[in-house]
Amino acid sequence: MFGAPVATDLTRPQALRSRFALPVFGAGMVSAVAYGPDAVLAALRSGAQQDAFLVMAGGVVVILVLIGSAYASQVRAFPHERGDYGVVRDRLGQRFGMITGASLLIDYLFTVSIAVSAIAQIVVFVLPSWRGAEAALAVMVLAFMTLANLRGVRDRRRVLLTVWHGFLVVLAALAVVGLVGRGADRVGTVAAESPETWTVLLAYAGAVASGAVMATGLEHLASSGPYHAEPRGKRASRTLLTAVFAAAVAFFVVSWLAWMYRLSGWSSGSILMQVSERVFGNTIGVWVVGVSAVAILYAAANSVFRRFSRLTGLLASDGVLPRQMAMRNDRLVLRGAILLVAVLAATIVVLLDASVSRLVHMFIIGVFTAIVLSQRAMIEWTTAKLKLATQPRERWLLQTRRILHMVTSVVAVGVLAVTAVFNFANGAWIAIVLIVLVVVMMHAIRRHYAAVKEDIALDRDAKAPSPPSATHGIVLVAQMHRPALHALAYAKAARHSTLKAVTVQINRGAALALQRRWATMDLGAPLVVLDSPYRDVVGPMLDYVKTMHRASPREAVFVYVPEYLVGHWWEQLLHNRSTARLRAQLLSVPNVVVSAVPWMLESARREGPVDDLVARGPEPQ
């Protein structure tokens, strides 16, 4: 279903030329044009300041260019795949690294949720009859995206190149037609009112902070260094700045058209689609804009899937997430991370009914927490470099970069504070709670792995452990049948010091019948019958094994438990329940080894080409 296995050697990053690296890593930034203007206009609408839309859009562009310049400096210094997490962990320590990692994971989670919700919003705009099904549409897109990522399609470069440039060409055409088609029937613009009240000031601050959602994808670009040709830092920095410039221009163009056509933000549908409807009318042009926007949003969400997987792999390798999340399957895919982000994103989309306006505030918390910490780490790095620099030009460049990171840090803190305080009730609290929970979980996992490492570590004078003085075999027999004799045969092959078959008496008649049948067969092992007045199979068996262990603590006990292999999942519910409980409890007894001896039922033999001899195993002697 997902394709042939892929060799491990193909995990090496491919060095991309700039024209391919730009759409591969820059789709996220440009895709934010589909919902960024909506966030700005929604904040201005709360203070009835829609006339200030263009000015606020300019403020967002300034913030975007500032943060982009700071990240360009960062990727020049650290052109590795670890991105913000690696920079913060190396410069500020593991504790702040975990906060950054948790913030980025939540950021990616909400980015995927926003992207698929925006896709559903666009589909509903061009197909109004589907209104009310936004959440279902978003989940369907997520399902398709998940299957595509589980398959691990490798070469997307040319498709992404077409999608990225196609979207920008469509926006350019939208701007030209919008400017040319503006006639006397359009309502003239009105200057924005002076900010005379706190409501207006809060609307302005909220608009600029909400517009910072355009920083979507910056961290992905900052971690793209290994995928560029040498010099990687310089090339990755150039790719990042180009993507930032393209996203800033696209955002300002859409905002300018919305301001020029006097969109108030009260109509349904995204600002991009409302602008296209005003510019093109109810024509094929609206569909072209919608299709190109859906394509770029899908590409952006798809890239976040990959980045989420890589980040969880890095965190797992550092021992703050379960280590199995760093294991790739035969398609070179981190399957656990992909399924995790898909399930969580689908849950968020359903709970919030695919509301882009609410998801935006949740996204900003995660991304700007990571930005604040990464800029603090870069300030530390430039300060350390300045102490060692001797050349005047080198010192001037480092001082300039340090000032850049300081200013960016202050601006990022302001955006984060405004979003956390004024949008707390609108959903920002959810992101804050999730980040705190993930950080707490990471600390617990890290402490657990540290304790396990200390517990199992070898001492300097460690020697090979001495073998048990004797081994005793016990075969659990519930009734006289082929699986029980099969387990007995394997126990005989181990040549234990003693070997016994043990049954638990639940029904006296059945136990007597088993004893008579056992006596008539020369099986080479005595049968021990344990009484169970309360009809419990596990308790008496557990007490018997513990008694043997207490009698000879240095001797080992091997318990052989027959277990059925079934051909259908639902059959598993009908078998092996008692044996599973017994095995789970016996594993806690010292010097006890539990061996599950498999027996294939007919349904399992039908499912695969297994002959009867292999299924049954050797006949008992």
Side-chain angles (χ1 to χ4, degrees), residues 214-228:
M214 288 300 301
T216 301
L218 258 178
E219 200 278 337
H220 193 197
L221 284 159
S223 61
S224 65
Y227 300 90
H228 286 78

Side-chain angles (χ1 to χ4, degrees), residues 8 27 77 174 190 198 205 237 278 281 294 316 320 361 410 441 484 585 619:
T8 305
L174 182 66
V190 180
W198 280 106
S237 174
R278 292 288 187 92
V294 167
V320 296
H361 305 307
V410 171
M441 180 190 69
Q585 298 200 37
E619 293 294 338

Side-chain angles (χ1 to χ4, degrees), residues 38-110:
D38 304 68
V40 177
L41 196 54
L44 290 173
R45 190 178 62 196
S46 63
Q49 293 297 305
Q50 291 95 320
D51 290 331
F53 189 20
L54 195 60
V55 177
M56 295 299 104
V60 171
V61 169
V62 171
I63 292 177
L64 184 59
V65 171
L66 176 66
I67 297 176
S69 301
Y71 266 93
S73 170
Q74 177 179 315
V75 77
R76 274 178 176 265
F78 299 98
H80 52 57
E81 191 181 17
R82 292 175 296 164
D84 283 351
Y85 168 69
V87 173
V88 174
R89 189 200 64 179
D90 295 343
R91 303 305 307 182
L92 303 182
Q94 183 66 56
R95 179 173 298 179
F96 288 104
M98 284 189 284
I99 296 174
T100 305
S103 301
L104 289 173
L105 290 179
I106 300 303
D107 159 32
Y108 296 150
L109 178 61
F110 284 117

